[in-house]
Amino acid sequence: MPDPTENDRTRELGIEFGSLARQLEQHEYPATCEELIEAYGTEVLRFQNGEQSLEEVLNKVPAARFASVTEARMAIFNNVADDAIGRKGYSDRTPPALGERTERSEQSF
């Protein structure tokens, strides 16, 4: 039976890391983008509406240096394509939060 904690870390915030999750966990840090791309750049991150290679994602922050796997994962979350977001601009809050813009007109019933 697979280790459930291992499966919990392969999918996070809508991104399926697959085997890359374990590889990033086992990598020695600190590490640069260049080092991670060289080691795992062809690994594919999958999400509901598409996929990207690790190289495509990390090329957006080529000068970054990661002190830990947590920092590397945050860079991935922050730089995946918009397709990974789901419904852009969606909010289940009504009315909009203070300072939040809304594109729809206000309705009164």
Side-chain angles (χ1 to χ4, degrees):
M1 178 179 237
D3 178 3
T5 57
E6 180 181 316
N7 290 337
D8 290 344
R9 294 292 288 173
T10 64
R11 182 170 183 80
E12 191 172 349
L13 298 177
I15 299 171
E16 178 61 51
F17 284 80
S19 62
L20 180 60
R22 174 171 274 172
Q23 292 168 326
L24 290 173
E25 289 281 341
Q26 294 175 345
H27 193 83
E28 190 173 319
Y29 293 90
T32 63
C33 268
E34 186 177 307
E35 292 168 341
L36 293 180
I37 290 170
E38 186 176 317
Y40 318 112
T42 59
E43 294 291 329
V44 176
L45 300 159
R46 290 181 173 74
F47 32 89
Q48 185 174 0
N49 298 318
E51 61 183 35
Q52 279 185 291
S53 71
L54 182 64
E55 181 175 16
E56 290 173 304
V57 174
L58 292 184
N59 272 338
K60 295 178 182 177
V61 288
R65 184 171 178 82
F66 310 110
S68 67
V69 66
T70 302
E71 287 186 8
R73 290 173 71 90
M74 289 308 300
I76 292 168
F77 296 136
N78 290 331
N79 291 290
V80 291
D82 288 347
D83 293 343
I85 296 172
R87 286 177 37 194
K88 215 172 178 184
Y90 173 77
S91 175
D92 60 354
R93 294 175 285 164
T94 306
L98 184 61
E100 182 180 27
R101 286 190 200 166
T102 180
E103 293 179 14
R104 63 174 195 235
S105 62
E106 296 296 317
Q107 293 181 341
S108 178
F109 293 98

XYZ file of all heavy atoms in Angstrom:
861
model
N 0.846 -1.189 0.000
C 0.000 0.000 0.000
C 0.885 1.245 0.000
O 1.817 1.338 0.782
C -0.904 -0.031 1.241
C -1.789 1.176 1.370
S -2.840 1.055 2.824
C -4.397 1.214 2.040
N 0.622 2.235 -0.889
C 1.455 3.434 -0.946
C 1.339 4.258 0.331
O 0.324 4.254 1.007
C 0.914 4.213 -2.143
C -0.229 3.472 -2.688
C -0.436 2.225 -1.880
N 2.391 4.981 0.615
C 2.435 5.865 1.781
C 1.526 7.061 1.522
O 1.740 7.819 0.573
C 3.882 6.311 2.004
C 4.031 7.270 3.173
O 3.030 7.563 3.852
O 5.162 7.715 3.400
N 0.465 7.276 2.350
C -0.460 8.388 2.086
C 0.192 9.747 2.177
O -0.201 10.666 1.493
C -1.548 8.227 3.159
C -0.993 7.306 4.179
C 0.098 6.513 3.520
N 1.217 9.902 3.001
C 1.878 11.203 3.091
C 2.616 11.516 1.798
O 2.716 12.656 1.401
C 2.860 11.254 4.277
O 3.807 10.212 4.133
C 2.143 11.129 5.595
N 3.103 10.483 1.132
C 3.777 10.691 -0.152
C 2.778 11.199 -1.185
O 3.042 12.134 -1.921
C 4.399 9.380 -0.626
C 5.120 9.511 -1.949
C 5.697 8.192 -2.405
O 6.290 7.472 -1.582
O 5.543 7.881 -3.594
N 1.590 10.609 -1.240
C 0.570 11.027 -2.195
C 0.078 12.433 -1.901
O -0.263 13.173 -2.812
C -0.609 10.053 -2.189
C -0.234 8.720 -2.788
O 0.701 8.627 -3.570
N -0.948 7.689 -2.395
N 0.009 12.814 -0.621
C -0.430 14.153 -0.260
C 0.484 15.220 -0.841
O 0.045 16.314 -1.139
C -0.482 14.320 1.260
C -1.601 13.506 1.889
O -2.499 13.062 1.144
O -1.568 13.318 3.110
N 1.757 14.927 -0.987
C 2.712 15.919 -1.469
C 2.865 15.895 -2.993
O 3.550 16.734 -3.544
C 4.087 15.691 -0.832
C 4.115 15.929 0.663
C 3.917 17.369 1.021
N 5.102 18.128 0.668
C 5.194 19.436 0.740
N 4.195 20.133 1.172
N 6.300 20.056 0.399
N 2.258 14.952 -3.707
C 2.402 14.942 -5.154
C 1.401 15.868 -5.834
O 1.607 16.279 -6.953
C 2.277 13.523 -5.752
O 0.978 13.027 -5.504
C 3.332 12.602 -5.183
N 0.310 16.202 -5.144
C -0.675 17.143 -5.682
C -0.939 18.203 -4.628
O -1.313 17.904 -3.505
C -1.967 16.425 -6.037
C -2.988 17.361 -6.632
C -4.170 16.585 -7.193
N -5.113 17.456 -7.813
C -5.006 17.968 -9.042
N -3.981 17.665 -9.785
N -5.911 18.774 -9.526
N -0.734 19.442 -5.033
C -0.945 20.546 -4.098
C -1.386 21.778 -4.874
O -0.834 22.083 -5.936
C 0.348 20.831 -3.337
C 0.181 21.767 -2.190
C 1.438 21.895 -1.338
O 2.379 21.116 -1.506
O 1.463 22.812 -0.507
N -2.382 22.461 -4.351
C -2.920 23.683 -4.964
C -3.239 23.489 -6.445
O -2.983 24.359 -7.279
C -1.948 24.850 -4.770
C -1.667 25.245 -3.328
C -0.629 26.356 -3.277
C -2.941 25.669 -2.611
N -3.763 22.318 -6.781
C -4.182 22.042 -8.147
C -3.069 21.633 -9.095
O -3.312 21.442 -10.274
N -1.856 21.491 -8.595
C -0.729 21.101 -9.450
C -0.305 19.687 -9.087
O -0.044 19.387 -7.930
C 0.457 22.061 -9.285
C 0.043 23.473 -9.677
C 1.652 21.591 -10.116
C 1.070 24.528 -9.356
N -0.239 18.819 -10.091
C 0.214 17.443 -9.907
C 1.710 17.404 -10.196
O 2.143 17.614 -11.315
C -0.539 16.505 -10.849
C -0.097 15.065 -10.762
C -0.307 14.462 -9.375
O -1.420 14.570 -8.843
O 0.666 13.900 -8.837
N 2.480 17.162 -9.146
C 3.936 17.105 -9.257
C 4.424 15.733 -9.701
O 5.500 15.610 -10.271
C 4.595 17.439 -7.905
C 4.583 18.894 -7.564
C 3.447 19.499 -7.047
C 5.712 19.672 -7.749
C 3.439 20.839 -6.721
C 5.718 21.016 -7.431
C 4.576 21.605 -6.908
N 3.685 14.686 -9.406
C 4.120 13.335 -9.733
C 5.433 13.009 -9.041
O 5.645 13.382 -7.888
N 6.339 12.345 -9.746
C 7.626 11.937 -9.157
C 8.517 13.132 -8.826
O 9.435 13.017 -8.015
C 8.359 10.977 -10.094
O 8.656 11.621 -11.319
N 8.240 14.283 -9.419
C 9.027 15.480 -9.139
C 8.923 15.877 -7.667
O 9.876 16.418 -7.101
C 8.587 16.637 -10.038
C 9.325 17.965 -9.858
C 10.821 17.802 -10.123
C 8.721 19.020 -10.776
N 7.801 15.587 -7.028
C 7.624 15.934 -5.612
C 8.732 15.301 -4.774
O 9.390 15.975 -3.978
C 6.251 15.478 -5.116
N 8.955 14.031 -4.958
C 9.984 13.327 -4.190
C 11.383 13.817 -4.589
O 12.248 14.006 -3.729
C 9.883 11.820 -4.393
C 11.040 11.085 -3.714
C 10.863 9.633 -3.707
N 10.055 9.368 -2.520
C 9.539 8.223 -2.220
N 9.718 7.194 -3.014
N 8.843 8.054 -1.137
N 11.595 14.044 -5.869
C 12.908 14.507 -6.329
C 13.263 15.851 -5.703
O 14.394 16.056 -5.261
C 12.929 14.591 -7.860
C 12.845 13.236 -8.520
C 12.583 13.335 -10.010
O 11.884 14.226 -10.480
N 13.154 12.408 -10.755
N 12.305 16.762 -5.667
C 12.557 18.068 -5.053
C 12.810 17.928 -3.557
O 13.667 18.613 -3.002
C 11.381 19.020 -5.303
C 11.195 19.513 -6.732
C 9.903 20.317 -6.863
C 12.391 20.322 -7.200
N 12.063 17.055 -2.904
C 12.252 16.822 -1.461
C 13.655 16.306 -1.166
O 14.265 16.683 -0.173
C 11.224 15.812 -0.930
C 9.813 16.323 -0.865
C 9.521 17.198 0.329
O 10.284 17.160 1.319
O 8.513 17.916 0.283
N 14.181 15.452 -2.026
C 15.471 14.812 -1.786
C 16.657 15.631 -2.283
O 17.790 15.315 -1.966
C 15.493 13.421 -2.428
C 14.514 12.478 -1.766
C 14.426 11.129 -2.462
O 14.881 10.958 -3.589
N 13.815 10.169 -1.796
N 16.383 16.688 -3.035
C 17.465 17.516 -3.572
C 18.183 18.243 -2.432
O 17.588 18.581 -1.418
C 16.907 18.530 -4.573
C 17.951 19.205 -5.379
N 18.484 18.637 -6.503
C 18.581 20.397 -5.213
C 19.401 19.458 -7.008
N 19.477 20.532 -6.235
N 19.457 18.497 -2.617
C 20.239 19.217 -1.607
C 20.092 20.726 -1.812
O 20.297 21.242 -2.905
C 21.714 18.819 -1.718
C 22.554 19.331 -0.578
C 23.972 18.793 -0.619
O 24.155 17.605 -0.926
O 24.891 19.590 -0.360
N 19.728 21.409 -0.748
C 19.538 22.863 -0.775
C 20.589 23.519 0.092
O 21.068 22.898 1.027
C 18.124 23.220 -0.271
C 17.061 22.724 -1.217
C 16.519 21.447 -1.058
C 16.626 23.500 -2.275
C 15.564 20.965 -1.944
C 15.660 23.026 -3.156
C 15.139 21.751 -2.985
O 14.195 21.282 -3.857
N 20.967 24.774 -0.199
C 20.391 25.693 -1.178
C 20.686 25.226 -2.605
O 21.649 24.512 -2.854
C 21.068 27.024 -0.884
C 22.304 26.702 -0.141
C 22.077 25.392 0.531
N 19.810 25.677 -3.515
C 19.935 25.310 -4.927
C 19.505 26.502 -5.781
O 18.653 27.291 -5.378
C 19.066 24.106 -5.234
N 20.075 26.594 -6.957
C 19.704 27.650 -7.898
C 18.688 27.100 -8.896
O 18.527 25.890 -9.026
C 20.933 28.146 -8.684
O 21.431 27.057 -9.465
C 22.016 28.670 -7.756
N 18.026 28.004 -9.605
C 17.124 27.594 -10.682
C 17.869 26.744 -11.692
O 17.367 25.718 -12.144
C 16.545 28.818 -11.389
S 14.995 29.358 -10.722
N 19.046 27.192 -12.036
C 19.856 26.478 -13.021
C 20.094 25.029 -12.597
O 19.976 24.115 -13.413
C 21.194 27.202 -13.213
C 22.057 26.624 -14.313
C 23.339 27.426 -14.491
O 23.246 28.650 -14.662
O 24.407 26.800 -14.451
N 20.407 24.823 -11.327
C 20.648 23.457 -10.827
C 19.382 22.607 -10.902
O 19.437 21.445 -11.325
C 21.154 23.500 -9.380
C 22.537 24.081 -9.244
C 22.922 24.392 -7.812
O 22.037 24.503 -6.927
O 24.135 24.529 -7.573
N 18.256 23.174 -10.503
C 17.003 22.411 -10.550
C 16.577 22.121 -11.980
O 16.110 21.026 -12.280
C 15.893 23.157 -9.797
C 16.076 23.280 -8.282
C 14.909 24.042 -7.659
C 16.243 21.920 -7.624
N 16.769 23.087 -12.866
C 16.432 22.874 -14.277
C 17.332 21.798 -14.878
O 16.860 20.922 -15.612
C 16.508 24.195 -15.075
C 15.354 25.113 -14.666
C 16.498 23.932 -16.576
C 15.460 26.528 -15.204
N 18.610 21.858 -14.572
C 19.539 20.856 -15.101
C 19.165 19.454 -14.613
O 19.198 18.494 -15.383
C 20.968 21.180 -14.673
C 22.003 20.263 -15.303
C 23.418 20.673 -14.948
O 23.715 21.882 -14.983
O 24.211 19.775 -14.622
N 18.782 19.340 -13.358
C 18.465 18.032 -12.786
C 17.070 17.530 -13.166
O 16.886 16.337 -13.419
C 18.608 18.084 -11.271
N 16.074 18.419 -13.207
C 14.682 17.977 -13.352
C 13.874 18.767 -14.381
O 12.644 18.663 -14.410
C 13.950 18.106 -11.999
C 14.760 17.650 -10.821
C 15.211 18.568 -9.866
C 15.097 16.313 -10.657
C 15.963 18.162 -8.782
C 15.855 15.895 -9.573
C 16.287 16.827 -8.641
O 17.040 16.418 -7.570
N 14.519 19.542 -15.208
C 13.824 20.443 -16.129
C 12.812 19.795 -17.040
O 11.820 20.419 -17.415
N 13.008 18.540 -17.403
C 12.072 17.875 -18.318
C 10.868 17.272 -17.600
O 9.923 16.827 -18.258
C 12.777 16.767 -19.117
O 13.316 15.804 -18.202
C 13.884 17.336 -19.990
N 10.872 17.276 -16.271
C 9.725 16.759 -15.510
C 8.514 17.638 -15.786
O 8.630 18.855 -15.898
C 10.023 16.733 -14.013
C 11.106 15.764 -13.620
C 10.689 14.312 -13.773
O 9.487 13.997 -13.613
O 11.573 13.485 -14.047
N 7.350 17.013 -15.879
C 6.132 17.735 -16.257
C 5.230 17.947 -15.048
O 4.962 17.019 -14.284
C 5.370 16.958 -17.357
C 4.051 17.641 -17.693
C 6.239 16.841 -18.603
N 4.772 19.182 -14.900
C 3.777 19.554 -13.895
C 2.436 19.571 -14.612
O 2.294 20.203 -15.662
C 4.081 20.945 -13.331
C 5.437 21.088 -12.658
C 5.860 22.537 -12.602
C 5.376 20.482 -11.267
N 1.456 18.876 -14.058
C 0.144 18.806 -14.698
C -0.887 19.526 -13.838
O -0.823 19.500 -12.620
C -0.263 17.352 -14.887
C 0.572 16.645 -15.928
C 0.160 15.191 -16.133
N 0.857 14.586 -17.249
C 2.129 14.215 -17.233
N 2.848 14.383 -16.158
N 2.705 13.675 -18.292
N -1.847 20.157 -14.517
C -2.950 20.813 -13.830
C -4.187 20.653 -14.681
O -4.102 20.145 -15.804
C -2.652 22.278 -13.499
C -1.760 22.982 -14.483
C -2.284 23.627 -15.576
C -0.387 22.982 -14.302
C -1.460 24.271 -16.483
C 0.448 23.625 -15.199
C -0.092 24.276 -16.289
N -5.317 21.042 -14.157
C -6.598 20.744 -14.800
C -6.645 21.148 -16.268
O -7.144 20.413 -17.097
C -7.737 21.427 -14.052
C -9.088 21.060 -14.605
C -10.220 21.617 -13.790
O -10.017 22.276 -12.799
N -11.435 21.351 -14.218
N -6.122 22.301 -16.615
C -6.256 22.796 -17.986
C -4.954 22.807 -18.770
O -4.819 23.569 -19.717
C -6.859 24.209 -17.959
C -8.239 24.218 -17.357
O -9.044 23.351 -17.636
N -8.506 25.172 -16.497
N -3.981 21.989 -18.372
C -2.742 21.960 -19.134
C -1.594 21.346 -18.378
O -1.772 20.672 -17.360
N -0.422 21.599 -18.881
C 0.798 21.103 -18.258
C 1.969 21.971 -18.697
O 1.887 22.666 -19.714
C 1.053 19.646 -18.625
C 1.229 19.385 -20.101
C 1.412 17.908 -20.420
O 0.803 17.056 -19.750
O 2.170 17.623 -21.357
N 3.035 21.933 -17.908
C 4.260 22.663 -18.210
C 5.428 21.867 -17.668
O 5.305 21.193 -16.636
C 4.281 24.026 -17.510
C 3.512 25.110 -18.177
C 3.710 26.422 -17.447
O 3.236 26.579 -16.338
N 4.397 27.360 -18.071
N 6.565 22.011 -18.324
C 7.775 21.397 -17.784
C 8.305 22.293 -16.664
O 8.015 23.496 -16.626
C 8.838 21.242 -18.873
O 9.359 22.510 -19.239
N 9.072 21.701 -15.775
C 9.680 22.487 -14.700
C 10.556 23.586 -15.290
O 10.582 24.705 -14.782
C 10.490 21.590 -13.771
C 11.140 22.301 -12.587
C 10.078 22.880 -11.660
C 12.066 21.380 -11.831
N 11.233 23.280 -16.389
C 12.078 24.286 -17.032
C 11.270 25.504 -17.475
O 11.671 26.644 -17.248
C 12.791 23.679 -18.238
C 13.706 24.657 -18.934
C 14.510 24.023 -20.055
O 14.167 22.919 -20.504
O 15.496 24.658 -20.476
N 10.094 25.283 -18.071
C 9.248 26.406 -18.501
C 8.846 27.281 -17.321
O 8.808 28.499 -17.434
C 7.980 25.887 -19.184
C 8.205 25.249 -20.525
C 6.937 24.619 -21.065
O 6.342 23.772 -20.384
O 6.546 25.002 -22.191
N 8.555 26.654 -16.200
C 8.106 27.394 -15.022
C 9.254 28.178 -14.395
O 9.126 29.368 -14.118
C 7.474 26.431 -13.986
C 7.144 27.157 -12.697
C 6.234 25.766 -14.573
N 10.384 27.519 -14.186
C 11.495 28.172 -13.495
C 12.276 29.144 -14.374
O 12.998 29.993 -13.848
C 12.431 27.127 -12.883
C 11.847 26.325 -11.719
C 12.893 25.383 -11.133
C 11.280 27.231 -10.635
N 12.126 29.061 -15.684
C 12.784 30.035 -16.564
C 12.263 31.452 -16.342
O 12.882 32.415 -16.760
C 12.631 29.644 -18.032
C 13.742 28.733 -18.492
O 14.822 28.698 -17.901
N 13.480 27.981 -19.548
N 11.129 31.578 -15.666
C 10.566 32.902 -15.362
C 11.315 33.588 -14.224
O 11.171 34.785 -14.030
C 9.085 32.777 -15.024
C 8.254 32.294 -16.196
C 6.812 32.138 -15.821
C 6.016 31.600 -16.997
N 4.620 31.372 -16.656
N 12.080 32.814 -13.451
C 12.856 33.355 -12.326
C 14.278 32.788 -12.359
O 14.730 32.145 -11.419
C 12.167 33.059 -10.966
C 10.929 33.896 -10.788
C 11.843 31.583 -10.827
N 15.007 33.034 -13.457
C 16.297 32.363 -13.651
C 17.356 32.673 -12.601
O 18.260 31.858 -12.374
C 16.746 32.848 -15.033
C 16.018 34.135 -15.240
C 14.715 33.986 -14.509
N 17.270 33.798 -11.933
C 18.302 34.166 -10.956
C 17.958 33.718 -9.532
O 18.719 33.976 -8.609
C 18.523 35.673 -10.977
N 16.825 33.038 -9.382
C 16.387 32.655 -8.035
C 17.304 31.605 -7.421
O 17.892 30.774 -8.101
C 14.962 32.140 -8.072
N 17.403 31.681 -6.105
C 18.153 30.712 -5.307
C 17.220 30.271 -4.188
O 16.590 31.096 -3.535
C 19.411 31.359 -4.740
C 20.299 30.422 -3.994
C 21.628 31.143 -3.669
N 22.509 30.311 -2.910
C 23.315 29.380 -3.420
N 23.344 29.184 -4.721
N 24.089 28.662 -2.652
N 17.116 28.969 -3.977
C 16.167 28.416 -3.026
C 16.904 27.828 -1.829
O 17.772 26.983 -1.986
C 15.307 27.345 -3.691
C 14.711 27.806 -4.987
C 15.132 27.283 -6.190
C 13.747 28.801 -5.006
C 14.597 27.713 -7.386
C 13.201 29.250 -6.197
C 13.630 28.707 -7.395
N 16.527 28.269 -0.641
C 17.140 27.776 0.586
C 16.550 26.426 0.997
O 17.174 25.691 1.751
C 16.953 28.782 1.713
N 15.354 26.113 0.484
C 14.680 24.886 0.887
C 13.718 24.426 -0.205
O 13.410 25.184 -1.129
C 13.894 25.124 2.173
O 12.827 26.022 1.913
N 13.215 23.212 -0.036
C 12.216 22.697 -0.970
C 10.952 23.554 -0.913
O 10.291 23.754 -1.931
C 11.897 21.207 -0.713
C 11.222 21.009 0.640
C 11.040 20.637 -1.829
N 10.628 24.096 0.239
C 9.448 24.953 0.370
C 9.575 26.174 -0.532
O 8.618 26.546 -1.221
C 9.250 25.385 1.839
O 9.127 24.209 2.639
C 8.035 26.269 2.004
N 10.744 26.792 -0.568
C 10.960 27.954 -1.449
C 10.868 27.553 -2.918
O 10.319 28.295 -3.731
C 12.303 28.600 -1.149
C 12.323 29.366 0.151
C 13.624 30.119 0.374
O 14.477 30.176 -0.542
O 13.790 30.654 1.489
N 11.396 26.398 -3.274
C 11.326 25.927 -4.660
C 9.872 25.691 -5.064
O 9.442 26.099 -6.146
C 12.148 24.660 -4.835
N 9.095 25.055 -4.192
C 7.687 24.799 -4.483
C 6.913 26.107 -4.601
O 6.035 26.244 -5.470
C 7.075 23.889 -3.423
C 7.602 22.457 -3.492
C 7.111 21.600 -2.342
N 5.697 21.292 -2.444
C 5.206 20.235 -3.073
N 6.013 19.377 -3.663
N 3.912 20.019 -3.107
N 7.212 27.090 -3.763
C 6.529 28.386 -3.847
C 6.825 29.067 -5.182
O 5.933 29.675 -5.780
C 6.933 29.295 -2.687
C 6.381 28.859 -1.336
S 4.599 28.569 -1.299
C 3.964 30.165 -1.756
N 8.049 28.958 -5.665
C 8.392 29.526 -6.976
C 7.583 28.847 -8.073
O 7.130 29.499 -9.021
C 9.887 29.377 -7.240
N 7.380 27.553 -7.938
C 6.572 26.817 -8.923
C 5.128 27.304 -8.867
O 4.541 27.634 -9.903
C 6.675 25.301 -8.676
C 8.097 24.822 -8.994
C 5.639 24.544 -9.512
C 8.417 23.420 -8.521
N 4.541 27.365 -7.671
C 3.157 27.822 -7.540
C 2.977 29.231 -8.107
O 1.966 29.537 -8.718
C 2.712 27.824 -6.074
C 2.675 26.464 -5.444
C 3.191 26.267 -4.177
C 2.138 25.376 -6.108
C 3.164 25.021 -3.585
C 2.110 24.117 -5.526
C 2.614 23.937 -4.257
N 3.962 30.089 -7.899
C 3.862 31.484 -8.331
C 4.098 31.691 -9.815
O 3.783 32.759 -10.340
C 4.843 32.350 -7.542
C 4.446 32.504 -6.100
O 3.274 32.452 -5.761
N 5.425 32.682 -5.235
N 4.652 30.690 -10.501
C 5.043 30.902 -11.892
C 4.426 29.948 -12.899
O 4.756 30.027 -14.080
C 6.571 30.862 -12.008
C 7.189 32.061 -11.342
O 7.069 33.179 -11.823
N 7.818 31.854 -10.195
N 3.514 29.070 -12.471
C 2.848 28.212 -13.451
C 1.944 29.070 -14.329
O 1.563 30.182 -13.963
C 2.028 27.073 -12.785
C 2.923 26.055 -12.134
C 0.997 27.616 -11.844
N 1.568 28.533 -15.467
C 0.711 29.251 -16.413
C -0.651 29.547 -15.797
O -1.085 28.882 -14.856
C 0.534 28.407 -17.680
N -1.332 30.530 -16.340
C -2.666 30.896 -15.872
C -3.646 29.725 -15.949
O -4.640 29.703 -15.231
C -3.222 32.066 -16.685
C -2.537 33.377 -16.353
O -1.817 33.434 -15.335
O -2.727 34.341 -17.111
N -3.379 28.749 -16.816
C -4.261 27.584 -16.946
C -4.367 26.795 -15.646
O -5.324 26.058 -15.440
C -3.761 26.643 -18.048
C -3.859 27.259 -19.424
O -4.589 28.262 -19.582
O -3.203 26.752 -20.342
N -3.398 26.941 -14.768
C -3.409 26.200 -13.505
C -4.305 26.856 -12.470
O -4.627 26.252 -11.453
C -1.995 26.094 -12.949
N -4.744 28.061 -12.722
C -5.482 28.829 -11.727
C -6.929 28.390 -11.600
O -7.514 28.472 -10.542
C -5.425 30.343 -12.048
C -3.992 30.828 -11.950
C -6.323 31.138 -11.123
C -3.797 32.239 -12.438
N -7.536 27.898 -12.661
C -8.966 27.614 -12.622
C -9.712 28.835 -13.127
O -9.262 29.494 -14.053
N -10.806 29.186 -12.502
C -11.577 30.356 -12.928
C -10.913 31.609 -12.406
O -10.940 31.912 -11.229
C -13.004 30.253 -12.405
C -13.801 29.247 -13.166
C -15.197 29.034 -12.668
N -15.884 30.206 -12.197
C -16.993 30.137 -11.488
N -17.529 28.984 -11.190
N -17.572 31.239 -11.070
N -10.304 32.339 -13.302
C -9.585 33.553 -12.945
C -10.551 34.618 -12.442
O -11.586 34.855 -13.030
C -8.840 34.064 -14.177
C -7.534 34.683 -13.869
C -6.797 34.986 -15.139
C -5.498 35.644 -14.799
N -4.772 36.048 -15.955
N -10.212 35.244 -11.319
C -11.030 36.296 -10.773
C -12.233 35.796 -9.993
O -13.041 36.592 -9.528
N -12.375 34.485 -9.842
C -13.527 33.933 -9.127
C -13.425 34.194 -7.638
O -12.372 34.083 -7.042
C -13.623 32.425 -9.357
C -14.685 31.773 -8.507
C -16.024 31.892 -8.849
C -14.361 31.075 -7.354
C -17.019 31.322 -8.073
C -15.338 30.502 -6.570
C -16.663 30.619 -6.939
O -17.631 30.052 -6.169
N -14.528 34.561 -7.055
C -14.599 34.739 -5.612
C -15.977 34.287 -5.155
O -16.978 34.600 -5.787
C -14.383 36.208 -5.237
O -14.577 36.360 -3.850
N -16.033 33.570 -4.056
C -17.327 33.152 -3.527
C -17.801 34.096 -2.425
O -18.772 33.828 -1.743
C -17.280 31.715 -3.024
C -16.274 31.517 -1.914
O -15.530 32.449 -1.603
O -16.226 30.399 -1.368
N -17.088 35.208 -2.284
C -17.477 36.194 -1.273
C -18.451 37.189 -1.860
O -18.288 37.667 -2.973
C -16.248 36.952 -0.764
C -15.305 36.050 0.000
C -14.081 36.793 0.359
N -13.298 36.894 -0.871
C -12.300 37.729 -1.053
N -11.945 38.548 -0.107
N -11.640 37.765 -2.174
N -19.483 37.526 -1.108
C -20.440 38.524 -1.533
C -20.734 39.414 -0.351
O -21.046 38.920 0.710
C -21.746 37.866 -1.997
O -21.433 36.911 -2.979
C -22.706 38.872 -2.571
N -20.677 40.664 -0.444
C -20.164 41.479 -1.533
C -18.644 41.402 -1.598
O -18.029 40.792 -0.740
C -20.635 42.883 -1.160
C -20.675 42.870 0.322
C -21.078 41.467 0.705
N -18.042 42.059 -2.593
C -16.583 42.035 -2.690
C -15.932 42.555 -1.412
O -16.482 43.421 -0.733
C -16.281 42.967 -3.865
C -17.542 43.044 -4.638
C -18.656 42.834 -3.654
N -14.791 42.014 -1.101
C -14.045 42.452 0.073
C -13.593 43.899 -0.108
O -13.499 44.402 -1.233
C -12.840 41.556 0.286
N -13.317 44.575 0.990
C -12.863 45.950 0.960
C -11.650 46.072 0.036
O -10.679 45.343 0.179
C -12.492 46.406 2.376
C -12.093 47.864 2.530
C -13.248 48.775 2.111
C -11.693 48.147 3.965
N -11.724 46.942 -0.941
C -10.627 47.158 -1.874
C -10.650 46.232 -3.076
O -9.883 46.396 -4.010
N -11.528 45.233 -3.094
C -11.601 44.298 -4.211
C -12.490 44.883 -5.295
O -13.572 45.393 -5.025
C -12.165 42.959 -3.732
C -12.234 41.905 -4.805
C -12.796 40.600 -4.284
O -13.576 40.605 -3.317
O -12.447 39.569 -4.857
N -12.038 44.810 -6.532
C -12.831 45.320 -7.648
C -13.754 44.234 -8.170
O -13.425 43.070 -8.152
C -11.921 45.747 -8.794
C -11.199 47.004 -8.536
C -10.538 47.453 -9.792
N -9.479 48.366 -9.471
C -8.554 48.734 -10.316
N -8.545 48.247 -11.526
N -7.624 49.574 -9.956
N -14.877 44.671 -8.668
C -15.803 43.745 -9.306
C -16.155 44.310 -10.674
O -16.287 45.513 -10.829
C -17.061 43.502 -8.451
O -17.908 42.599 -9.147
C -17.812 44.771 -8.145
N -16.283 43.423 -11.646
C -16.607 43.876 -12.999
C -18.106 43.841 -13.258
O -18.560 44.318 -14.266
C -15.876 43.015 -14.019
C -14.377 43.219 -13.959
C -13.638 42.366 -14.939
O -14.259 41.789 -15.857
O -12.423 42.254 -14.798
N -18.864 43.260 -12.368
C -20.306 43.182 -12.580
C -20.994 44.355 -11.862
O -20.483 44.913 -10.899
C -20.847 41.856 -12.086
C -20.656 41.681 -10.601
C -21.342 40.429 -10.115
N -21.394 40.565 -8.664
C -20.943 39.710 -7.808
N -20.427 38.601 -8.232
N -21.019 39.915 -6.526
N -22.160 44.683 -12.357
C -22.902 45.768 -11.713
C -23.605 45.239 -10.471
O -23.949 44.067 -10.379
C -23.917 46.345 -12.693
O -24.843 45.345 -13.058
N -23.793 46.141 -9.527
C -24.475 45.764 -8.298
C -25.957 45.554 -8.598
O -26.557 46.311 -9.346
C -24.304 46.871 -7.245
C -22.882 47.098 -6.813
C -22.292 45.889 -6.104
O -22.973 45.271 -5.268
O -21.120 45.570 -6.386
N -26.556 44.508 -8.003
C -27.969 44.246 -8.200
C -28.653 44.254 -6.842
O -28.106 43.826 -5.846
C -28.182 42.887 -8.850
C -27.676 42.805 -10.260
C -27.937 41.425 -10.856
O -28.169 40.469 -10.141
N -27.880 41.341 -12.158
N -29.864 44.707 -6.869
C -30.668 44.719 -5.663
C -31.956 43.948 -5.951
O -32.558 44.116 -6.998
C -30.986 46.154 -5.253
O -31.799 46.150 -4.123
N -32.347 43.128 -5.016
C -33.568 42.336 -5.234
C -34.690 42.836 -4.398
O -34.682 43.273 -3.363
C -33.322 40.857 -4.898
C -32.374 40.228 -5.846
C -31.041 40.078 -5.540
C -32.811 39.772 -7.071
C -30.171 39.486 -6.411
C -31.941 39.176 -7.949
C -30.628 39.031 -7.623
